[in-house]
Amino acid sequence: MEKEKLYQLVAEKAPVFLDLSDRIWGYAELSMLEYQSTEDYIRVLEAEGFQVERSLCGIPTAFSGSFGSGRPRIGILGEYDALSGLSQAAGVAEKQPLCEGGCGQGCGHNLLGAASLGAAIALKNAIAAGELHGTVIFYGCPGEEGCAGKTFMARDGLFRDLDAALTWHPGDTNEVTTGFNAACLQVVYSFQGTAAHAAGNPYDGRSALDAAELMNVGVQFLREHMEPKCSIHYSIVDAGGVSPNVVQPNARLIYMVRAETVRKAKALLERVNNIARGAALMTDTQVSWHQLDGTSDTLSNSVLEQVLYDNLCQAPQPEYTPEELSFAAALRKTYAHSGLPAANVDTNPTLRKRVAELSQGGSKDINDFVVPYYPANPFSPGSTDVGDVSWLTPTAQFNTATWPSQVPGHSWQVVSMGKSGIAHKGAVYAAQVLAGAAADLMEKPALLQAARAEFSEAAAAGYECPIGPEVVAGPQV
């Protein structure tokens, strides 16, 4: 199929999926609570002629829309959850919450899901016209931000029947994602003690807050004895109360334990569990814990990554108006940094030099070029539930620039940019790249065969799901 015709199919549907993106931005629903977003997506999918399946794997906000028949079966992943504390007015270069303490699309997931759907609609129309053959499946994946919706879906084997899975993520560069991310386990620890008057009879009390603090101290000492690519983070979600003259009977913590692989993360988690046991023993309290979620390390697939890179270069890149560039410059100044764009260049001097050359020829505020792709195996300390998909089927992902250079994700600046022309243009570009890459896979069986061969070798050890059958999908505590 001619790529230009496929790009036109995306452009024709841009009003549909960009309007959806703006509505999702407005809903700003937290992980596993994306009920309005889910219903809106399903309305669009049904209107566009997809066969919809609701409540995938028992998760109310997980769904799919499929079209076509036979193979290849290409999955396109979408997300739509927001982040707490990032409420922000759109289109302004100053921090201006719409609702103090409210939620906002600080990672651009309104764009992520909508552009993925735009690609799926274009592919559906091409299949319906007989220009492509196979099946396209859009997956509505909830709860990426701290609830790992795709992991629960992968636990049930949902993605195993795909020939390949593709996705993207908003960002500040146009580049293929390569290398691997850390595995991550998220666990809630609850300490139970005995309340007492902190002055009158403290000897009768058993402080759960003391236990929580001792656990945190113990983990600080553990850090010296972890492998270099491990990390541990925590938050106190319940300190027992606000009255200092009470021996606090309750305390609760959330811990995230990261390592290169699921096996290493589980081993490190057991050491953290032992510290929790020790803290309870030291304070004569009780401790219990339960796992919230987990994500696997990602398996890179250079065959699919090359396909994505080729399509990043082939698809028409966005052109920006003076007004858009002026807004990008103003927003970027609120998070001023100098130097190179945040591309995966640190471990590759050749790539770093090339990115520097490209950035000189483009906008200083928007990275309006494609970062060259070099198959590599860099490690990223972050985590994503796309990793679990990558253990079940060949998977690849990329970024497009939807906000100014070096503005970080999970920021009010990203929320402010979320309904802008720059964001919309980056989303249309992403949809065209996804559609073009999926079309290549549908039309060139040798690509899928090579991707499957690489996947089979990388995944030879088998998928070790980071969550057990006892872990229940749901909102964070």
Side-chain angles (χ1 to χ4, degrees):
M1 183 180 182
E2 292 183 4
K3 290 288 179 68
E4 289 75 14
K5 189 170 184 179
L6 194 58
Y7 300 152
Q8 183 59 34
L9 289 175
V10 171
E12 289 172 359
K13 286 298 179 179
V16 173
F17 68 82
L18 292 179
D19 285 349
L20 174 64
S21 173
D22 288 353
R23 294 195 299 273
I24 302 301
W25 183 97
Y27 301 147
E29 296 172 295
L30 294 178
S31 294
M32 299 294 185
L33 298 173
E34 313 97 325
Y35 296 107
Q36 292 182 88
S37 302
T38 295
E39 291 305 315
D40 210 340
Y41 267 100
I42 288 175
R43 280 193 296 270
V44 175
L45 283 165
E46 291 178 339
E48 293 293 334
F50 286 82
Q51 182 178 345
V52 172
E53 186 175 349
R54 293 173 174 264
S55 298
L56 294 178
C57 305
I59 304 172
T61 56
F63 58 92
S64 67
S66 61
F67 188 88
S69 61
R71 293 193 176 275
R73 291 171 58 85
I74 307 299
I76 300 180
L77 311 178
E79 300 167 13
Y80 31 88
D81 55 331
L83 289 156
S84 63
L86 287 179
S87 175
Q88 168 65 31
V92 296
E94 61 181 354
K95 189 175 182 180
Q96 187 178 314
L98 292 173
C99 174
E100 287 292 345
C103 305
Q105 286 287 350
C107 208
H109 289 181
N110 58 304
L111 301 162
L112 195 168
S116 294
L117 178 58
I121 293 172
L123 292 165
K124 184 270 300 185
N125 288 339
I127 293 171
E131 299 195 60
L132 291 175
H133 302 281
T135 305
V136 59
I137 307 172
F138 172 81
Y139 288 97
C141 304
E144 192 276 336
E145 300 288 0
C147 291
K150 297 182 198 67
T151 304
F152 290 94
M153 299 159 81
R155 183 180 64 181
D156 288 359
L158 190 65
F159 307 104
R160 285 192 185 277
D161 193 39
L162 295 176
D163 291 289
L166 303 174
T167 191
W168 76 290
H169 202 288
D172 74 333
T173 56
N174 303 307
E175 65 175 323
V176 174
T177 305
T178 190
F180 66 104
N181 291 80
C184 181
L185 307 175
Q186 189 168 207
V187 177
V188 178
Y189 293 88
S190 299
F191 290 93
Q192 299 292 324
T194 303
H197 195 295
N201 60 325
Y203 39 81
D204 289 328
R206 299 293 182 268
S207 175
L209 181 57
D210 285 355
E213 291 190 278
L214 285 167
M215 178 181 176
N216 293 337
V217 170
V219 171
Q220 308 315 326
F221 282 98
L222 173 62
R223 296 182 191 279
E224 180 185 1
H225 307 288
M226 305 186 311
E227 292 188 17
K229 292 179 180 178
C230 295
S231 61
I232 301 176
H233 331 285
Y234 70 91
S235 64
I236 301 175
V237 295
D238 179 7
V242 298
S243 299
N245 61 342
V246 174
V247 174
Q248 306 297 353
N250 307 301
R252 190 166 46 162
L253 309 164
I254 299 180
Y255 264 81
M256 298 181 77
V257 176
R258 302 185 201 255
E260 287 181 85
T261 65
V262 171
R263 180 183 59 80
K264 289 184 177 182
K266 288 181 176 180
L268 182 57
L269 177 62
E270 185 54 30
R271 297 175 73 185
V272 174
N273 291 344
N274 283 336
I275 291 172
R277 293 183 181 102
L281 184 63
M282 284 188 287
T283 54
D284 197 17
T285 58
Q286 301 297 315
V287 64
S288 61
W289 56 82
H290 68 276
Q291 188 174 352
L292 282 177
D293 59 47
T295 62
S296 294
D297 46 303
T298 50
L299 295 182
S300 184
N301 191 289
S302 64
V303 175
L304 295 185
E305 290 169 3
Q306 185 66 53
V307 172
L308 288 176
Y309 177 71
D310 291 343
N311 280 275
L312 275 166
C313 295
Q314 293 165 11
Q317 294 180 38
E319 297 180 359
Y320 305 108
T321 66
E323 293 78 14
E324 289 167 345
L325 292 174
S326 177
F327 177 49
L331 195 64
R332 185 168 182 251
K333 287 178 182 176
T334 67
Y335 199 89
H337 276 278
S338 60
L340 294 174
N344 293 322
V345 299
D346 291 338
T347 59
N348 191 320
T350 302
L351 179 56
R352 187 175 181 84
K353 179 180 178 182
R354 180 59 179 145
V355 169
E357 293 169 351
L358 289 167
S359 64
Q360 293 301 313
S363 164
K364 294 180 181 179
D365 299 305
I366 294 290
N367 292 322
D368 53 359
F369 58 89
V370 178
V371 176
Y373 170 64
Y374 292 87
N377 200 33
F379 172 74
S380 171
S383 305
T384 171
D385 56 5
V386 174
D388 291 271
V389 182
S390 76
W391 278 89
L392 299 185
T393 191
T395 304
Q397 52 190 327
F398 65 96
N399 300 100
T400 69
T402 59
W403 57 72
S405 173
Q406 297 183 324
V407 164
H410 293 203
S411 67
W412 67 262
Q413 289 93 340
V414 170
V415 186
S416 180
M417 184 62 70
K419 297 201 293 183
S420 68
I422 290 172
H424 284 175
K425 289 175 180 179
V428 171
Y429 179 38
Q432 291 171 327
V433 172
L434 281 170
D440 286 342
L441 297 178
M442 287 181 167
E443 293 186 311
K444 301 172 183 177
L447 286 176
L448 283 177
Q449 291 170 4
R452 176 62 62 172
E454 182 178 348
F455 164 79
S456 296
E457 181 177 353
Y463 175 49
E464 182 178 355
C465 187
I467 56 174
E470 76 286 353
V471 182
V472 178
Q476 273 190 319
V477 295

